[in-house]
Amino acid sequence: MSDSPALPAVSREWQLLKRPVGWPKPEDFALVEVPMPEPGEGQVLVRNEYLSVDPYMRGRMSAAKSYAAPYELGEPMEGGAVGVVVTSDVDGIEPGDHLLHFLGWREYAAVDAKKAVKVDPDAAPLSTYLGVLGMTGLTAYAGLLRTAGFKEGDIVFVSGAAGAVGSQVGQLAKLKGASRVIGSAGSEEKVRLLVDEYGFDAAFNYKDGPVGEQLRAAAPDGIDVYFDNVGGDHLQAAIAELNLHGRIAICGAISVYNNTEPAPGPNNLGRLIQTRGRIEGFLVGDHYDLQPEFVREIAPLVASGKLKYRETIVDGIQNTLEAFLGVLRGDNTGKMIVKL
């Protein structure tokens, strides 16, 4: 194995102790010390520098059947991470290289080289590979352009619009010629951010009153595209304002992730018949073929400042759980990232 500085004997990692019911509680998790991972054939040892926490992780804490395997009890959780290679016997990967991989929630990881992507810290800040140039960015790109079939001139409504995905959806729609972009968020500060910095035409605080009434006022000509990160009353409101041949892309439903009883569905689905509207759910994992095109198009927009992004950075692996809970509460502006 390649020469490397002396390593600690242990690494810390977050484990799931029991499956949360309702809102996750600190006692459902533990930060534990484990022996330093030893890479096997085709693996490299990575010291993680940035970890991603995302709403979808709440679903993996449940044993219910879903699109991603549940986290195992007593085992390290997983998530996006960027780290520096400490030791490597793999051709093409040297100590000091930086890798994007999926073994987050821990300090050190033995990473399969074939499941990692080399990233360039000189081309963009490392944290952006977890957000604006990473999975959340591709989610916005694929959901708006492919799933929702965005067209120039569309009126677009985005919920959770100050988050990592929603903020990119709205900006991308404007850059590609949307006639109007409306966003919802959970604070006056975030509403101002959407209009003043991200260039949304209108935005509202969903806590200020019924979403349906606020959307109707912000979109007097209806909407052609709804990008849904929230579900619940936002989805109902969007269906009510959908124009002829309107499209709804379901990305997430954070408003119901911690419910212990089934949430009532929209009661106005019949309107889809009148509008010939379409609702389609999507997973970013089904659209990785767009990754090269996405990076080619978005990286220059980020570098030039035409596409803006925010990050909420939390320091220390010991604060990873609190950062995750903060995402569920909506504490973050833009991408929530843990810096180790």
Side-chain angles (χ1 to χ4, degrees):
M1 188 167 288
S2 305
D3 292 337
S4 63
L7 295 170
V10 297
S11 172
R12 290 181 293 174
E13 65 185 26
W14 280 96
Q15 296 183 358
L16 185 66
L17 299 185
K18 55 185 178 181
R19 303 204 179 277
V21 177
W23 275 87
K25 300 180 290 295
E27 54 265 34
D28 297 331
F29 309 83
L31 179 61
V32 301
E33 288 187 347
V34 297
M36 179 61 61
E38 294 186 7
E41 186 175 353
Q43 294 185 327
V44 298
L45 183 64
V46 174
R47 184 181 74 249
N48 286 330
E49 297 184 333
Y50 292 94
L51 308 178
S52 177
V53 286
D54 302 279
Y56 80 88
M57 293 172 174
R58 177 61 184 89
R60 296 195 65 185
M61 294 171 188
S62 166
K65 186 176 181 181
S66 184
Y67 61 85
Y71 292 134
E72 296 292 336
L73 296 180
E75 297 291 334
M77 293 186 291
E78 298 176 344
V82 174
V84 62
V85 175
V86 179
T87 60
S88 173
D89 278 337
V90 176
D91 289 342
I93 299 179
E94 301 294 333
D97 287 344
H98 288 84
L99 297 182
L100 171 65
H101 62 92
F102 206 68
L103 296 183
W105 289 83
R106 68 199 82 183
E107 290 178 309
Y108 287 84
V111 176
D112 289 339
K114 291 182 178 179
K115 295 182 180 179
V117 177
K118 196 182 295 189
V119 295
D120 183 358
D122 294 326
L126 287 172
S127 58
T128 63
Y129 294 105
L130 295 174
V132 65
L133 295 179
M135 184 180 73
T136 54
L138 181 59
T139 300
Y141 189 88
L144 177 68
L145 302 182
R146 179 176 279 175
T147 305
F150 171 84
K151 304 188 300 293
E152 185 177 355
D154 279 344
I155 301 170
V156 177
F157 172 45
V158 188
S159 58
V165 174
S167 59
Q168 252 182 286
V169 171
Q171 290 183 84
L172 192 57
K174 287 294 291 183
L175 288 167
K176 288 188 170 291
S179 61
R180 187 169 177 81
V181 174
I182 303 117
S184 74
S187 73
E188 291 308 313
E189 180 184 7
K190 290 180 179 180
V191 167
R192 287 194 297 272
L193 174 71
L194 294 179
V195 175
D196 296 343
E197 184 166 332
Y198 293 152
F200 283 58
D201 297 288
F204 61 86
N205 183 347
Y206 65 82
K207 298 175 183 176
D208 283 349
V211 173
E213 293 179 9
Q214 295 196 76
L215 177 59
R216 195 171 307 117
D221 296 318
I223 61 173
D224 302 300
V225 168
Y226 171 44
F227 193 105
D228 190 15
N229 291 303
V230 173
D233 54 357
H234 282 72
L235 179 56
Q236 171 122 354
I239 293 171
E241 300 306 317
L242 207 61
N243 290 331
L244 189 66
H245 302 300
R247 292 87 65 204
I248 295 175
I250 305 288
C251 178
I254 197 169
S255 70
V256 300
Y257 283 168
N258 295 302
N259 288 7
T260 56
E261 300 292 333
N267 61 17
N268 58 347
L269 289 174
R271 197 160 187 285
L272 296 175
I273 302 170
Q274 304 164 22
T275 62
R276 287 70 128 188
R278 173 168 61 83
I279 300 179
E280 183 176 346
F282 75 99
L283 295 175
V284 66
D286 295 334
H287 301 282
Y288 281 132
D289 61 297
L290 291 176
Q291 180 77 22
E293 170 190 323
F294 159 72
V295 172
R296 281 196 303 271
E297 183 171 357
I298 299 302
L301 294 174
V302 173
S304 68
K306 291 182 179 179
L307 195 151
K308 299 175 175 61
Y309 69 96
R310 290 282 191 95
E311 295 173 334
T312 300
I313 304 288
V314 172
D315 286 319
I317 191 171
Q318 69 275 10
N319 295 314
T320 305
L321 176 59
E322 181 56 28
F324 168 70
L325 297 176
V327 170
L328 298 183
R329 292 190 299 261
D331 294 349
N332 56 302
T333 299
K335 182 75 182 77
M336 181 74 90
I337 293 171
V338 179
K339 181 180 180 182
L340 301 193

